[in-house]
Amino acid sequence: MSVMTSTTSFAPELRQRRRPSGFAYIAPALLLIALFFIVPIASLLLRSVLEPTPGLSNYAELFGSWTYVRIFANTFLVSALVTLLSVIIGFPVAWLLAIIPNRWGSVLFAIILLSMWTNLLARTYAWMVLLQRTGVINKTLINLGLIDQPLVMVNNLTGVTIGMTYIMLPFIILPLRGVIKDIEPGILQAAALCGATKWQCLWGVLIPLALPGIASGALMVFVMSLGYFVTPALLGGTANMMVAEMIAQFVQSLVNWGMGGAAALVLLVVTLLLYAIQLRLFGVGRIGQEGQ
Amino acid sequence: MLLNFDKLGMWKWVLTGFSVLVALFLLVPILFIVALSFGSSQWLIFPPPGWTLRWYQELLADPRWLESALTSAKIAIIVTLCSVILGLLASFGLTRGRFAGRETLRALFLTPMIMPVVVLAVALYAFFLKIGLNGTLLGFVIAHLILALPFSIISIGNALDSFDRSIEDAAILCGAHPLEAKLRVTLPGIRHGLFAAAIFSFLVSWDEVVVAIFMASPTLQTLPVKIWATLRQDLTPVIAAASTLLVVFTVVLMIVAALLRKGFKS
Amino acid sequence: MTVPFLQIRGIRKEYGAVTAVDDVTLNVEKGEFLTFLGPSGSGKSTTLYILAGFENPTSGDILLEGKTLLQTPSHKRNIGMVFQRYTLFPHLSVGENIAFPLRVRRLPKAEIDEKVRRMLKLVRLEGYEDRMPAKMSGGQQQRVALARALAYDPPVLLMDEPLSALDKKLREEIQYEIRRIHQETSVTILYVTHDQEEALRLSDRIAVFSRGVIDQTGTGPELYANPATRFVAQFIGDSDFLKGVVAATSGGLADIHLGDETVVTGVPVHGKATAGGNAAVMLRPERINLSRTAGTDRAGIAATVNDITFLGNNTHVATVTSANEALSVRLPFGDTAINGLTTGEKVWITWDPATTHAFCD
């Protein structure tokens, strides 16, 4: 065969590294990330300690001013509320979705995916219309005689909470469904055979077994909520602004890059810290695997 | 017992009833805007006093809507292509590479997915102001690519993880050049991951609002920016019409994805 | 003088501080079926992967018909391989899988079709051409993999535990198939397994691997009758070992003390035997006898019966020696020594010293 005769022409280094290290494969992506992710973010954070004068004055102002501290507090409050509601509403649905045997399960699943993948602005727009003073919800409540005056549900905490919970629900239902699906049904049968009532099974077995999934999902929703921009900006009011909108305002309206950078750094540090906790406790396994 | 639907007893109905309510909560707003887009009321009264296609006519009559949709599509398609190619290469390196710091690099590549978009948006806005990429197609593509790449790396990486490398080795021993083996054996073997990466990347770019708001210029804006700008003025039913078209698009995409997945399984 | 068909010359493979393969040297004849037998981590698979070109040896050389293979990348080595896991291309049909190496070689279509047909016939899967791999059993998939690896008439076929994922019955069936295909094609096969029975059933010769080195190479009967190391004795066939002390040596034979008084003379000895040193004497259960009375003509040792198990064509007697070492005896059906034997009984176990082996460290 001609194969054998052509062997001598190969360079000696081919012998040494028949399987390359593979670093070359990630080089293009790494270049992109370095140039358009690390550099811009690093320079934004640098501006927070350099503008207008070098030092920590921006941070002093950020943490010294009641206005800004209140925005941070409000952000945490809304995020916590949204997380709590998402878990309480999401857990039963995830549970049903994990065990439902018939076609209705796929229908429910499709609805969740549809709501998750429908354009964010379209969904937020729907809630703006639904919740407005003359909206369907107010009109229905008045017609039923439950209220006399229309409720104020937009440009305040109520609107933001409803809108955000709506958006976050799929992000807790889908991973939690996976966690519950992975629980061995025999364990619950064993618990029932041991004489546990349904309530005891739920609180003593099912929820503890699902707890890592609940905690992981809750942490993810909380982190996502902290930095959310669109929905709070549209459904919330100026009185309860959240951090992401504040950063945008620093940069766009006030052209104060120093303060914008400082607020961004605080948000980034909190987010990455919680993300690190998430990775530490639950591993990278489930993140991003759900969805389609 | 609690994990067997048929043996839940009364709880079955409680759980089902609750889930139906949640499903309605998730579905009703979407159906609501679809209905309103055909309603004749300027003030979005529901139920609408009459039905009309007026809002769709207005939508199509305004060239800025179509223009922004085309811009969005153009950006999303370029982003999808780049994201799949870069994601494929990076996944090969990350799952098969033998260099130090692979896990750290993987975490770095996934960071844009978990960090607040507004931080990236502000940072890129500042950076692009300096190098003159603001309001340009290239600027949009780069920004969206950063956001889409993690989804590509996860989808393709998972597919590559579950693809047995021995199959590629077998192709090489059969006489295929390593590159040919990758193209003719490994790529078809992970095609479901490639399609998932493409769909995710497209949607990330197509729906992206925050970065786009910062980067848009009067001459170049994406569809979400156009919706955002209109929304800030008033809640005109034209947005309902635009939203309905986006919902239809999402449904079509979901069906295509489901069909493709079925195709891969057989 | 003719050059050996395939020469493995002093192959070494180090991963950092770990030596996976340590100076392996072996000649393989054309058409031979040679098996690398050993436990996992013994270096047998690494050696195979070096032959395939997926690993480079730290030192040493591999020559096929006198020419080195090491400079040739895997895809140009023209070597066939069947893997441990199922490696059919999942998106291609059975026929397309077998045609793959031929298409890569840009052969004319008619020739490819003809070859695919012949290969399917060889592995007895005619009519399966359009089947997708996912719709086939594990055994069928490995047969297709075999057909694919043989389609381009490779001079050497490598098989890396190809049957380990199959259940026992199917495994035996395909072992028979492999044997038949080897005879029909007379391809040179290098086969890796950790299953001694599989190795004995298939191979012309076996190379026993242990901790990166080849302990011994030979035919099955050679390895069984004359194991060179304690490891080979343990790995091929059943064996028990009795602790002893070397009394004297001469010309590869040794006299060995077993316990306090018994001396066995003329035992073939391996390793560095010195008077006064420790030795392990290997006894095979089916090559020793059991009697109620002490004999004088043969070597022997006293023992107590612990357990008697009837196994059809033979009976297994577990005994314990006075030094508290386990010693098994397998008696063929009809052996009169078995009659009336009871647990707890004192017996005398004897053997021909020439059939045993002693191993010194």
Side-chain angles (χ1 to χ4, degrees):
Chain A
M1 290 229 117
S2 62
V3 171
M4 297 304 153
T5 50
S6 65
T7 54
T8 44
S9 62
F10 277 92
E13 58 262 34
L14 200 135
R15 268 192 77 167
Q16 288 310 309
R17 330 180 108 247
R18 185 144 285 149
R19 281 195 165 154
S21 78
F23 190 80
Y25 283 120
I26 66 158
L30 190 59
L31 193 71
L32 179 87
I33 292 286
L35 200 57
F36 296 107
F37 181 68
I38 297 175
V39 168
I41 285 178
S43 57
L44 174 70
L45 300 182
L46 263 182
R47 287 174 93 163
S48 76
V49 289
L50 293 177
E51 294 182 18
T53 52
L56 292 175
S57 61
N58 288 319
Y59 293 93
E61 196 184 336
L62 203 59
F63 292 115
S65 153
W66 180 233
T67 324
Y68 302 140
V69 170
R70 236 188 56 186
I71 290 175
F72 277 110
N74 183 60
T75 306
F76 272 92
L77 175 76
V78 170
S79 302
L81 203 59
V82 167
T83 305
L84 188 71
L85 282 172
S86 300
V87 169
I88 292 173
I89 299 172
F91 178 78
V93 181
W95 179 11
L96 183 80
L97 210 51
I99 61 170
I100 194 164
N102 49 39
R103 290 196 72 83
W104 291 107
S106 338
V107 174
L108 184 56
F109 198 74
I111 290 174
I112 292 167
L113 284 186
L114 177 68
S115 104
M116 188 166 151
W117 285 113
T118 295
N119 186 289
L120 176 65
L121 286 171
R123 286 181 284 165
T124 309
Y125 167 76
W127 282 109
M128 288 168 81
V129 175
L130 277 167
L131 295 175
Q132 66 179 333
R133 270 181 74 85
T134 55
V136 182
I137 294 174
N138 267 324
K139 270 169 75 179
T140 313
L141 292 176
I142 291 174
N143 286 343
L144 289 172
L146 292 172
I147 50 170
D148 301 323
Q149 289 295 313
L151 297 172
V152 183
M153 292 183 291
V154 275
N155 297 330
N156 62 13
L157 189 64
T158 316
V160 180
T161 309
I162 294 175
M164 295 267 287
T165 307
Y166 179 84
I167 282 154
M168 293 301 165
L169 263 178
F171 290 101
I172 198 140
I173 293 176
L174 294 181
L176 205 50
R177 164 183 169 268
V179 171
I180 297 176
K181 244 188 148 96
D182 286 346
I183 296 174
E184 169 59 44
I187 296 174
L188 281 138
Q189 280 166 5
L193 285 176
C194 290
T197 65
K198 272 186 189 163
W199 282 106
Q200 285 168 329
C201 281
L202 178 64
W203 288 101
V205 183
L206 185 60
I207 289 180
L209 283 178
L211 203 58
I214 295 173
S216 162
L219 205 55
M220 192 173 84
V221 166
F222 187 72
V223 169
M224 282 172 73
S225 305
L226 281 182
Y228 227 68
F229 174 75
V230 172
T231 309
L234 290 175
L235 282 169
T238 39
N240 53 358
M241 189 191 277
M242 286 175 67
V243 176
E245 204 185 349
M246 177 175 83
I247 296 172
Q249 288 215 349
F250 275 136
V251 171
Q252 278 192 312
S253 317
L254 309 172
V255 202
N256 187 339
W257 287 99
M259 287 298 281
L265 179 86
V266 174
L267 182 58
L268 194 62
V269 166
V270 173
T271 305
L272 292 183
L273 213 64
L274 290 173
Y275 180 54
I277 292 172
Q278 161 110 2
L279 284 187
R280 197 64 195 261
L281 292 181
F282 310 110
V284 78
R286 289 212 164 268
I287 294 171
Q289 284 191 7
E290 308 294 336
Q292 283 283 315
Chain B
M1 181 174 70
L2 290 186
L3 290 178
N4 185 333
F5 184 70
D6 294 321
K7 296 204 177 131
L8 275 175
M10 274 298 288
W11 286 29
K12 183 160 113 181
W13 304 113
V14 177
L15 214 53
T16 308
F18 186 81
S19 296
V20 167
L21 286 179
V22 175
L24 286 178
F25 174 65
L26 291 174
L27 192 58
V28 161
I30 295 171
L31 297 181
F32 181 71
I33 31 174
V34 173
L36 278 185
S37 74
F38 295 104
S40 60
S41 162
Q42 169 97 52
W43 315 110
L44 300 159
I45 290 165
F46 193 89
W51 303 99
T52 176
L53 285 175
R54 192 182 135 198
W55 315 117
Y56 289 90
Q57 282 159 355
E58 272 187 32
L59 183 74
L60 296 175
D62 184 348
R64 283 173 305 172
W65 280 103
L66 196 65
E67 218 171 90
S68 62
L70 283 178
T71 305
S72 271
K74 207 193 299 176
I75 292 168
I77 288 168
I78 300 174
V79 166
T80 303
L81 282 175
C82 297
S83 167
V84 170
I85 292 168
L86 285 185
L88 177 67
L89 292 175
S91 300
F92 262 115
L94 290 173
T95 48
R96 296 188 173 177
R98 299 199 285 195
F99 48 88
R102 270 187 310 141
E103 282 315 303
T104 316
L105 278 171
R106 184 195 297 272
L108 173 68
F109 284 143
L110 299 189
T111 313
M113 191 175 72
I114 52 101
M115 70 177 279
V117 192
V118 75
V119 175
L120 178 70
V122 168
L124 270 181
Y125 175 57
F127 189 64
F128 283 176
L129 273 181
K130 274 193 197 127
I131 61 172
L133 278 179
N134 248 344
T136 65
L137 195 75
L138 182 62
F140 271 109
V141 167
I142 289 171
H144 286 182
L145 190 53
I146 301 258
L147 290 169
L149 199 55
F151 291 89
S152 262
I153 289 179
I154 286 173
S155 304
I156 300 174
N158 285 344
L160 210 52
D161 269 338
S162 51
F163 182 82
D164 192 338
R165 192 175 183 174
S166 304
I167 297 177
E168 190 178 308
D169 285 345
I172 291 172
L173 273 189
C174 279
H177 186 274
L179 189 65
E180 192 182 359
K182 280 192 178 65
L183 289 176
R184 287 180 61 173
V185 172
T186 310
L187 284 196
I190 59 167
R191 64 201 156 157
H192 58 283
L194 296 173
F195 275 107
I199 287 176
F200 281 125
S201 299
F202 185 90
L203 279 175
V204 164
S205 169
W206 174 256
D207 281 342
E208 205 289 319
V209 204
V210 184
V211 175
I213 291 170
F214 281 88
M215 290 221 312
S217 72
T219 50
L220 191 75
Q221 58 176 322
T222 61
L223 187 58
V225 175
K226 175 70 183 148
I227 300 177
W228 171 270
T230 315
L231 259 181
R232 290 234 125 171
Q233 284 163 10
D234 65 305
L235 296 180
T236 159
V238 175
I239 300 176
S243 298
T244 302
L245 294 180
L246 287 174
V247 170
V248 171
F249 181 69
T250 309
V251 172
V252 169
L253 216 56
M254 275 173 65
I255 291 170
V256 169
L259 287 179
L260 280 176
R261 210 166 23 164
K262 215 172 239 172
F264 292 143
K265 268 187 189 150
S266 66
Chain C
M1 205 182 99
T2 55
V3 183
F5 182 62
L6 177 68
Q7 290 169 275
I8 301 172
R9 278 196 194 157
I11 289 291
R12 256 181 96 77
K13 178 67 185 176
E14 291 163 9
Y15 296 101
V18 183
T19 306
V21 178
D22 190 358
D23 198 18
V24 161
T25 297
L26 195 66
N27 286 340
V28 185
E29 293 309 317
K30 194 172 169 63
E32 192 174 16
F33 195 128
L34 187 113
T35 296
F36 294 173
L37 175 67
S40 57
S42 59
K44 57 190 193 317
S45 286
T46 308
T47 309
L48 207 67
Y49 274 78
I50 290 171
L51 277 158
F54 294 132
E55 300 279 0
N56 278 317
T58 312
S59 62
D61 202 356
I62 290 171
L63 295 100
L64 184 66
E65 296 180 308
K67 290 176 199 111
T68 182
L69 264 187
L70 290 183
Q71 310 283 347
T72 313
S74 293
H75 67 282
K76 292 198 174 166
R77 284 195 187 186
N78 204 35
I79 281 177
M81 183 158 178
V82 179
F83 292 76
Q84 184 172 6
R85 286 166 296 190
Y86 307 137
T87 58
L88 293 187
F89 310 134
H91 61 296
L92 298 181
S93 69
V94 166
E96 288 167 332
N97 260 282
I98 299 173
F100 184 87
L102 309 170
R103 293 216 175 114
V104 165
R105 287 171 172 74
R106 318 253 182 266
L107 295 186
K109 193 180 178 314
E111 199 175 319
I112 293 177
D113 291 346
E114 166 62 16
K115 193 82 194 187
V116 168
R117 210 183 46 75
R118 285 218 326 264
M119 283 298 138
L120 281 171
K121 188 158 180 262
L122 179 69
V123 297
R124 304 198 179 185
L125 284 172
E126 292 115 314
Y128 281 82
E129 206 165 339
D130 297 323
R131 194 72 73 93
M132 292 309 279
K135 298 257 157 81
M136 301 183 89
S137 72
Q140 287 173 328
Q141 287 194 44
Q142 287 304 62
R143 274 150 73 189
V144 177
L146 189 59
R148 183 180 66 189
L150 289 172
Y152 45 100
D153 301 314
V156 179
L157 176 66
L158 310 177
M159 301 183 88
D160 183 17
E161 309 216 18
L163 309 182
S164 59
L166 307 177
D167 63 50
K168 193 173 179 336
K169 197 172 156 7
L170 203 57
R171 202 151 55 206
E172 282 175 13
E173 201 180 301
I174 300 195
Q175 280 166 3
Y176 170 78
E177 287 281 288
I178 291 173
R179 185 94 203 143
R180 176 182 61 76
I181 288 165
H182 177 238
Q183 279 157 8
E184 280 181 29
T185 59
S186 63
V187 62
T188 308
I189 296 182
L190 291 181
Y191 193 100
V192 162
T193 183
H194 60 266
D195 180 349
Q196 54 136 330
E197 206 181 306
E198 185 167 294
L200 291 170
R201 190 172 302 207
L202 292 172
S203 330
D204 298 326
R205 271 197 310 154
I206 298 170
V208 182
F209 276 71
S210 162
R211 292 179 199 168
V213 300
I214 295 182
D215 268 22
Q216 191 177 6
T217 309
T219 64
E222 279 167 15
L223 298 178
Y224 176 81
N226 290 306
T229 65
R230 181 177 171 147
F231 179 81
V232 175
Q234 269 175 320
F235 215 76
I236 308 265
D238 296 330
S239 52
D240 285 314
F241 291 87
L242 297 180
K243 282 196 195 103
V245 176
V246 176
T249 63
S250 71
L253 298 178
D255 299 343
I256 292 169
H257 280 288
L258 287 176
D260 298 331
E261 63 266 23
T262 316
V263 179
V264 200
T265 54
V267 181
V269 69
H270 307 270
K272 290 190 223 74
T274 47
N278 288 326
V281 175
M282 178 206 75
L283 297 174
R284 298 223 185 258
E286 61 280 358
R287 303 196 77 186
I288 55 183
N289 291 85
L290 181 147
S291 61
R292 301 260 168 62
T293 51
T296 48
D297 53 328
R298 285 154 69 97
I301 190 170
T304 310
V305 175
N306 220 1
D307 189 34
I308 305 166
T309 316
F310 176 66
L311 292 169
N313 59 4
N314 69 74
T315 301
H316 180 257
V317 182
T319 71
V320 178
T321 67
S322 49
N324 210 22
E325 290 174 300
L327 190 56
S328 297
V329 187
R330 199 172 293 144
L331 300 169
F333 182 75
D335 191 312
T336 51
I338 211 85
N339 295 338
L341 196 67
T342 54
T343 309
E345 200 175 334
K346 295 266 182 215
V347 290
W348 193 252
I349 291 168
T350 63
W351 62 85
D352 174 1
T355 68
T356 64
H357 292 267
F359 301 98
C360 300
D361 298 327

